[in-house]
Amino acid sequence: MNLAFGFAMGQSGNAPNLPGSLRAEPRLCRWLRFSTDGSVTLTPGKVEIGQGILTALAQIAADELDVALHRVHVVAASTLGSPNEGVTSGSLSVQESGTAIRHACAEARAIHLSLAAHRAGVEAAVLRVVDGTFLAPDGSVAGTYWAEAGTDLLEVEARGDVAPKASAARHLAGSPVPRLDLPEKVFGQPRYLHDLRWPDMLHARMIRPPARAARLRALREGPLPGDACLLRDGGFLAAIASEEWAAEAAATRLAAQADWDLRESLPEENNLAAWLLSAPAEESIVAERGEPAPPAAHSVAARFTRPFLAHGSIGTCCAVALWREDALEVWTHSQGIYNLRADLSTVLGLPPEWIVLHHVEAAGCYGHNGADDVALDAALCARAHPGRPVRALWSRAEELAWGPLSPAGMAEIEAAVDAKGRLCRWRTVLRGNGHSSRPGRAKDPTLLAAAYLDPPFTHPVAIDAPLAAGGGGQRNAVPGYQVPSLDVRMHRLLEMPLRSSALRALGGLLNVWAIESVMDELAERSGQDAVAFRLRHLDHDPRARAVLEEVARMCGWPRPAAGEGIGTGIAMARYKGTGGWCAVAAEVEATEVVRCRRLWIAADIGEVINPDGAANQLEGGAIQATSIALKEAVRFDRFNVTSQGWDAYPILRFSEVPAVDLRLLARPEEPPLGAGEASLGPTIAAIAGGIHAALGIRPRAMPFTPDNLAASTE
């Protein structure tokens, strides 16, 4: 025991460059523990939102510990025992949490082997680990992980000097293991937060004002259905009842009884560009390179705009809260439970340690939807009914209109090629609100209800992370192509008429589309093939070249049109400039509307832990991007969002989903990179290129509807 403990403690606290999330939480016991029943429990701080992270993390741990996969149990994140890994976002779960678990398990394995070797009187190097049992050269058992369960072996900090297994020695990584979270979902077992019920539970429905700028003047009295009662705090209104139907009916009745002072506060929907250009903004330099550039032979100047976007989750946001003697417990599908706890602490006036949050799977969004907001709704209602769990559920109108929206944005690009057909200069100016209003990052809370309480909190204007941390509006704004003269600037708006925050790929939705469209146009004007033109400027990035060449081969580029009004576009990007590489080709058909018929995707995301999970993420991102490109836009008047149902906010239907052909470029020796967001920008750009091939139109505004395409020709 002492030998193993000394081995683990040797350099405790002296390893500032620990990999992944171990930097934030180096204690091994916060990541894993062994049980006498022969199981391993992982306690990561990243959460499952449909991306299959629980399966991938289990594969990593099983590989590193040499145990069967069925022995590994991944516990949902909780502030009671999980490390604080911030927010599950940015396609970083495998990259950050997976890397931490791999190294934590490697050190745990080394600690246990050292102890077993000491007891057996042999060198640790001669022991083999077979499904958690340590075997000596003669086949005798020298120990097991399970025999040390309950000891303090892992009550130490990681040292960072134990190398994980080489990629060739891993047996599960790279294998398409069935998702661990799917059986309960497939067979309808109550895994989702929406399905769970507590004894004596109450139901809550909120009543939102009819305008973004509204003050509650009066609330007429009247009977409410069943045992429903009203909670009022300033302009925050909720109907609470022991039966769900009564809460819903009471909310409808209370909405009719409320009298509000309203004022206009939103820009003109049909003139978003003017607002983006005129709103006060903070300018920052994203990238600047001023090498001498040869004279321009061909140039392009173009403006690209995108609307506000909703997450459009099929399930609506939900939370359950229980208030006991000034302590709060919340079950939430937040993507950042520690961040949410910080804002709940501010609003409710409770010390953070008095608030416990448990993550439970629910409506996914791949971004910042209303999951954090509904947690505050539930907490406020639970405070009014201590001792009883309160389940708050949003309506479809709340989901589409009141959750944080992905901000509208504009990209203005001027670029040129010289007489040799090479890029010689590039200038981009971006405008839009920031892409982060997540909780826990500002002095004031960002949660919806906080602005309607008495006294109210002020919602801080959305920010953008620094480019080194992935960026926001400036994400993927720096072209991945070689160009001597470069100037990219961001104008982050300082007014936020509609609360904006993160949606999958953030600024990459606009920026990749804009960059790749300009690359297409420069290639055409200089008489070059679009793929060959890109490859000329990717000599510095062989992995980018590889995905582009692969997708061109997959689709048969240059692909002849299959008929009138049919065309194929192609695009590529390295996500965030530091993540996975992805190239997409899209075949579109333009009739009365544009339809994407087929997608080809080639991606390099380093080591792939679960190929099936990675494929799901890349395909899912591309299909979501298809919906965004062709259909989605938040509608609003001067008072409020008006797209409060699927008729006003259409999304891609199953009958409209394109066929997808995907190839993963195997890089088992490279660090793993995220897959969830890499395909979105290139898909939108490839669809835009396909529209040009089919119709001769360069789309300049999303979504690519007939009206917007017609405006692009003016």
Side-chain angles (χ1 to χ4, degrees):
M1 176 69 75
N2 291 337
L3 176 63
F5 188 74
F7 170 87
M9 289 297 291
Q11 299 177 14
S12 176
N14 297 319
N17 296 318
L18 291 171
S21 296
L22 280 178
R23 290 187 297 271
E25 178 49 83
R27 289 176 294 168
L28 299 182
C29 62
R30 295 280 282 178
W31 294 95
L32 77 158
R33 63 177 182 270
F34 299 100
S35 300
T36 55
D37 64 1
S39 64
V40 186
T41 299
L42 299 183
T43 55
K46 298 293 186 183
V47 302
E48 179 66 59
I49 50 175
Q51 80 279 44
I53 187 61
L54 302 185
T55 305
L57 297 182
Q59 287 179 258
I60 290 170
D63 255 341
E64 209 58 50
L65 294 169
D66 280 318
V67 300
L69 184 62
H70 70 83
R71 294 187 183 275
V72 182
H73 304 294
V74 187
V75 176
S78 168
T79 56
L80 281 177
S82 303
N84 184 354
E85 291 197 78
V87 178
T88 302
S89 63
S91 297
L92 292 173
S93 293
V94 170
Q95 188 173 332
E96 293 292 328
S97 194
T99 298
I101 285 174
R102 174 168 282 163
H103 283 79
C105 288
E107 295 210 17
R109 185 180 191 272
I111 290 170
H112 283 80
L113 277 176
S114 177
L115 177 60
H118 175 67
R119 288 175 173 171
V122 298
E123 294 294 324
V126 305
L127 295 179
R128 292 184 299 122
V129 185
V130 179
D131 195 18
T133 298
F134 311 139
L135 300 179
D138 61 2
S140 62
V141 175
T144 68
Y145 291 123
W146 338 116
E148 308 307 325
T151 67
D152 59 359
L153 278 183
L154 300 183
E155 296 284 343
V156 294
E157 292 189 1
R159 303 195 314 176
D161 60 353
V162 178
K165 290 181 178 181
S167 59
R170 299 171 190 150
H171 303 293
L172 286 169
S175 302
V177 171
R179 286 263 297 269
L180 301 179
D181 59 312
L182 288 186
E184 292 176 333
K185 297 173 181 177
V186 170
F187 292 106
Q189 297 174 15
R191 181 185 184 94
Y192 290 114
L193 176 55
H194 300 66
D195 303 325
L196 304 182
R197 295 295 184 270
W198 280 255
D200 205 27
M201 187 170 74
L202 296 171
H203 297 270
R205 296 292 187 273
M206 280 52 66
I207 298 94
R208 305 297 180 192
R212 282 306 199 266
R215 183 180 64 84
L216 184 62
R217 274 195 308 220
L219 187 63
R220 297 191 304 276
E221 295 185 0
L224 297 177
D227 64 352
C229 62
L230 165 70
L231 171 62
R232 177 179 177 180
D233 185 340
F236 174 77
L237 302 176
I240 305 169
S242 58
E243 294 183 89
E244 197 162 3
W245 71 267
E248 291 192 3
T252 300
R253 189 170 300 179
L254 288 166
Q257 295 170 352
D259 182 21
W260 302 85
D261 270 330
L262 311 178
R263 64 178 176 85
E264 296 181 350
S265 64
L266 304 187
E268 291 284 351
E269 180 193 337
N270 294 326
N271 201 9
L272 265 180
W275 173 70
L276 290 167
L277 288 165
S278 63
E282 172 187 78
E283 182 183 21
S284 61
I285 296 174
V286 180
E288 195 172 38
R289 186 165 58 244
E291 297 177 19
H298 303 279
S299 62
V300 170
R303 173 187 292 174
F304 303 84
T305 59
R306 49 154 289 180
F308 290 99
L309 297 169
H311 290 89
S313 301
I314 300 299
T316 61
C317 289
C318 184
V320 176
L322 177 61
W323 190 285
R324 295 192 194 96
E325 297 179 357
D326 292 330
L328 175 66
E329 193 166 6
V330 181
W331 292 262
T332 173
H333 54 118
S334 168
Q335 291 177 225
I337 55 174
Y338 283 94
N339 291 50
L340 173 57
R341 186 175 71 167
D343 268 20
L344 290 176
S345 171
T346 300
V347 175
L348 301 171
L350 291 178
E353 60 271 17
W354 290 8
I355 303 173
V356 174
L357 274 71
H358 309 283
H359 183 267
V360 185
E361 287 185 70
C365 69
Y366 295 104
H368 179 201
N369 68 351
D372 297 303
D373 299 320
V374 77
L376 176 58
D377 294 339
L380 291 168
C381 295
R383 184 171 62 177
H385 296 269
R388 298 188 67 178
V390 179
R391 176 179 177 266
L393 179 69
W394 274 17
S395 67
R396 173 61 54 204
E398 285 175 288
E399 188 69 30
L400 288 174
W402 285 94
L405 302 173
S406 181
M410 174 188 292
E412 296 178 300
I413 297 179
E414 298 176 4
V417 295
D418 59 22
K420 296 181 179 179
R422 294 194 64 91
L423 288 172
C424 58
R425 70 169 186 267
W426 192 288
R427 174 177 169 80
T428 299
V429 178
L430 305 172
R431 300 178 189 276
N433 280 123
H435 285 252
S436 181
S437 290
R438 290 191 184 274
R441 295 177 175 174
K443 176 179 67 70
D444 289 320
T446 64
L447 304 175
L448 175 62
Y452 295 91
L453 300 176
D454 184 16
F457 293 88
T458 300
H459 284 152
V461 175
I463 62 172
D464 281 324
L467 195 61
Q474 76 277 45
R475 180 170 294 183
N476 277 113
V478 179
Y481 304 103
Q482 293 168 311
V483 55
S485 178
L486 176 70
D487 189 333
V488 180
R489 295 170 186 262
M490 179 74 211
H491 293 255
R492 182 179 66 87
L493 304 188
L494 301 178
E495 293 178 353
M496 190 174 66
L498 289 169
R499 198 166 48 120
S500 65
S501 197
L503 182 145
R504 199 175 193 179
L506 282 69
L509 297 174
L510 170 64
N511 297 331
V512 174
W513 161 46
I515 289 170
E516 292 298 278
S517 293
V518 169
M519 290 294 289
D520 277 342
E521 197 161 351
L522 287 171
E524 183 179 56
R525 293 194 179 191
S526 59
Q528 302 180 67
D529 173 78
V531 171
F533 178 63
R534 287 170 168 83
L535 291 173
R536 288 187 70 186
H537 298 90
L538 289 173
D539 290 340
H540 64 298
D541 193 343
R543 294 171 75 172
R545 293 180 61 91
V547 295
L548 183 58
E549 290 170 338
E550 178 63 15
V551 86
R553 188 194 65 76
M554 290 167 63
C555 75
W557 186 271
R559 185 176 176 82
E564 185 178 354
I566 297 174
T568 300
I570 201 163
M572 69 81 53
R574 184 180 186 189
Y575 182 56
K576 295 189 289 189
T578 57
W581 291 260
C582 185
V584 177
E587 183 181 74
V588 305
E589 181 177 15
T591 53
E592 67 278 3
V593 296
V594 175
R595 178 175 178 266
C596 183
R597 293 158 45 110
R598 190 170 180 186
L599 294 171
W600 296 265
I601 305 172
D604 174 355
I605 56 171
E607 181 193 15
V608 178
I609 306 301
N610 188 335
D612 183 61
N616 289 341
Q617 287 293 287
L618 289 160
E619 291 174 5
I623 291 168
Q624 184 177 7
T626 302
S627 181
I628 290 169
L630 299 180
K631 290 179 174 287
E632 298 184 34
V634 171
R635 307 300 305 274
F636 54 92
D637 56 25
R638 296 302 303 276
F639 293 95
N640 209 353
V641 171
T642 58
S643 49
Q644 299 187 10
W646 294 124
D647 55 339
Y649 193 88
I651 61 174
L652 205 68
R653 294 176 177 269
F654 281 108
S655 61
E656 299 169 310
V657 170
V660 181
D661 185 10
L662 182 138
R663 304 284 171 83
L664 290 170
L665 278 63
R667 306 278 189 188
E669 73 287 352
E670 297 289 346
L673 300 168
E677 299 174 89
S679 62
L680 277 86
T683 297
I684 293 172
I687 290 173
I691 290 171
H692 176 71
L695 299 176
I697 297 171
R698 295 280 182 196
R700 298 299 196 219
M702 283 200 288
F704 307 146
T705 58
D707 287 346
N708 281 340
L709 291 177
S712 296
T713 64
E714 296 174 358

